[in-house]
Amino acid sequence: MSYGDYLALDTLLDAQHPRAVPPEHDELLFIIQHQTSELWFKLVIHELRSARELIAADELAPALKRLARVKHIQATLSEQWTVLATLTPSEYARFRRFLATSSGFQSLQYRVVEFMLGNKKPDMVRVFDGRPDAVAQLEAELHEPSLYDVFLQLLARRGLPVPAELLERDWSQPYVESEALIDVIAQVYADPERYWDIYETCEELVDLEDNFQLWRFRHLKTVERIIGMGRGTGGSAGVPFLRRALEQSFFPELYHVRGRIAEGTIGD
């Protein structure tokens, strides 16, 4: 077997089909940027699924290895925006109309990643109406516990008083922050030596969210640089929509516990 055969390079390198007429030099950059992002998302999903299964099996050490890999992928995805940022508004305008109604908003894999991290939005499934395979995949993920959900289940198995309503909820609904859970997380941060692997996992999850927010921010600034405050393709709101996404948190209690630490109120 050759290198090209093993990697199916004939298929991979024949998957770029610029549509502009006449051809535009910069369209290939735009296509490859988004295709490579989708390949990285595929690996993120692969690693997050494994991490979730491992946490559910009380195997934190290999789960943290998976999350460490995801963090490196996130760094690559964020850095990738600097390549697309070399595209000027004038260059993009020359081929933008050939995108028609396509939009990154329609990325199935991105939505799967968000669902896996806990940003469950049942209405988003309708974006994929007309694609039964995509709808089925999203519906399945919608009803699975998120990475955070399985972590909270692990905390309960370890004897920490996680509120029952967080352990027996409808997984398809958006997660609602719990003041009582902040008290539980505070116990971990008050005695990291006792809860070391849990404490470490908390910090890994914070890293994961920080990296995701950095990716969102770089996305926002790249879009802003190229199209300003104009609407995105496919009718999306563009920069305002991306800015609202920065306010979303996957693991809110892991951030709010920091306020207690800063104020010296842990253990009160």
Side-chain angles (χ1 to χ4, degrees):
M1 179 179 292
S2 72
Y3 174 80
D5 291 339
Y6 178 72
L7 296 177
L9 289 183
D10 287 345
T11 300
L12 183 66
L13 298 179
D14 190 43
Q16 296 75 45
H17 304 290
R19 297 174 181 270
V21 180
E24 289 294 337
H25 174 83
D26 300 293
E27 190 178 5
L28 186 61
L29 160 65
F30 190 85
I31 291 171
I32 289 177
Q33 166 84 23
H34 290 83
Q35 286 184 338
T36 52
S37 293
E38 291 293 335
L39 284 172
W40 285 124
F41 284 148
K42 182 174 183 176
L43 185 55
V44 167
I45 292 168
H46 176 69
E47 300 296 339
L48 287 179
R49 283 216 172 104
S50 178
R52 185 169 59 184
E53 292 168 0
L54 289 165
I55 293 172
D58 293 299
E59 297 183 41
L60 278 185
L64 295 183
K65 169 67 174 176
R66 304 291 191 267
L67 297 185
R69 181 173 291 163
V70 171
K71 291 193 300 181
H72 285 290
I73 299 168
Q74 289 175 310
T76 298
L77 282 165
S78 293
E79 185 63 23
Q80 233 176 247
W81 289 119
T82 64
V83 183
L84 191 61
T86 64
L87 184 68
T88 69
S90 301
E91 291 164 347
Y92 182 48
R94 292 187 188 119
F95 65 84
R96 184 184 185 187
R97 70 183 184 278
F98 294 97
L99 274 64
T101 58
S102 65
S103 169
F105 187 74
Q106 301 157 348
S107 169
L108 170 64
Q109 292 195 122
Y110 173 78
R111 198 59 56 191
V112 170
V113 170
E114 283 219 321
F115 279 16
M116 294 183 80
L117 293 177
N119 189 20
K120 301 287 187 74
K121 293 181 178 177
D123 289 348
M124 290 305 305
V125 177
R126 292 205 297 270
V127 172
F128 300 91
D129 282 350
R131 292 184 54 193
D133 58 330
V135 169
Q137 188 174 341
L138 270 184
E139 283 284 358
E141 193 56 55
L142 190 66
H143 291 89
E144 286 287 331
S146 72
L147 185 71
Y148 197 41
D149 289 321
V150 296
F151 177 59
L152 298 185
Q153 292 170 343
L154 179 140
L155 296 186
R157 290 194 300 273
R158 293 286 188 88
L160 287 160
V162 177
E165 63 270 18
L166 299 182
L167 302 172
E168 301 167 0
R169 67 186 193 86
D170 181 351
W171 308 126
S172 70
Q173 295 305 305
Y175 178 81
V176 177
E177 182 181 347
S178 166
E179 186 72 22
L181 182 60
I182 300 176
D183 295 333
V184 175
I185 301 297
Q187 291 182 43
V188 174
Y189 278 82
D191 193 356
E193 288 77 15
R194 178 182 176 186
Y195 299 107
W196 183 259
D197 58 349
I198 294 175
Y199 173 76
E200 185 181 10
T201 305
C202 288
E203 288 298 290
E204 289 288 325
L205 292 175
V206 170
D207 286 347
L208 203 65
E209 177 159 334
D210 277 1
N211 285 349
F212 203 98
Q213 293 290 46
L214 286 171
W215 181 87
R216 282 171 166 168
F217 181 75
R218 288 299 302 140
H219 185 189
L220 181 157
K221 297 307 290 184
T222 303
V223 171
E224 189 174 46
R225 178 177 179 138
I226 296 173
I227 68 170
M229 298 300 290
R231 294 190 68 80
T233 56
S236 66
V239 167
F241 171 79
L242 297 174
R243 188 166 286 136
R244 288 194 299 274
L246 287 172
E247 299 173 359
Q248 300 167 353
S249 177
F250 300 121
F251 321 123
E253 294 85 0
L254 297 184
Y255 284 86
H256 289 172
V257 75
R258 285 157 162 72
R260 296 199 184 178
I261 297 169
E263 295 164 2
T265 57
I266 280 189
D268 291 355

